[in-house]
Amino acid sequence: QHFNSKAKTIELEVVDICEEKVGRHDVVLFLGVLYHLKHPLLALEKVASVADELVVVETEIDLCGVQEPAMRFYPGTELGGDPSNWWGPNPAAVLAMMKTVGLKDCKMVHKRNHNPEQGRAVFHGHVA
């Protein structure tokens, strides 16, 4: 209200994201969500489908010592005692998923490790 923003809140499941429901956006922020989803690749595909320029992904990462794309599965409360944490992708997996959904020039732009194997990271992927 203070800035007279025309932004509005839309609550929906990430797999229901589509242009008809949320419109199109120059930049889409997908922050702290990927590792909470049972179907992260489908969700990333939905998010990328409404971006015109850039998708920013911030996520928990794991298996940082593994060079090929890999994800650790957390079936219980192994990650932070939180049962809503499902996946710990390594950086190679996040980049591969971003490319798979059609993003270009994908790169990790920031990484903060909790230990040598785990941490958090930010990735950028461009649309065409």
Side-chain angles (χ1 to χ4, degrees):
Q1 289 175 333
H2 179 76
F3 293 108
N4 296 318
S5 173
K6 293 177 179 49
K8 60 182 178 178
T9 300
I10 301 171
E11 289 189 33
L12 72 155
E13 295 292 325
V14 69
V15 295
D16 294 330
I17 291 174
C18 63
E19 186 175 350
E20 296 76 28
K21 292 183 181 179
V22 302
R24 298 204 56 80
H25 303 275
D26 294 337
V27 178
V28 175
L29 304 176
F30 194 48
L31 311 176
V33 178
L34 185 73
Y35 61 103
H36 288 288
L37 302 170
K38 289 183 181 179
H39 306 287
L41 185 60
L42 174 60
L44 190 54
E45 184 175 56
K46 294 291 193 164
V47 166
S49 76
V50 297
D52 286 332
E53 293 180 27
L54 177 68
V55 174
V56 179
V57 176
E58 188 279 338
T59 187
E60 180 75 25
I61 54 173
D62 202 338
L63 303 172
C64 293
V66 178
Q67 296 302 310
E68 58 275 344
M71 293 175 70
R72 177 164 281 151
F73 178 59
Y74 307 117
T77 59
E78 298 86 354
L79 180 61
D82 184 347
S84 75
N85 294 327
W86 290 100
W87 298 103
N90 69 356
V94 177
L95 292 168
M97 288 191 296
M98 292 174 77
K99 291 174 186 173
T100 297
V101 302
L103 298 171
K104 311 288 186 224
D105 302 319
C106 301
K107 61 185 172 183
M108 182 170 54
V109 297
H110 179 74
K111 178 178 167 185
R112 183 186 77 214
N113 279 58
H114 307 310
N115 62 52
E117 283 295 305
Q118 289 181 305
R120 297 191 74 87
V122 178
F123 302 83
H124 287 179
H126 296 270
V127 177

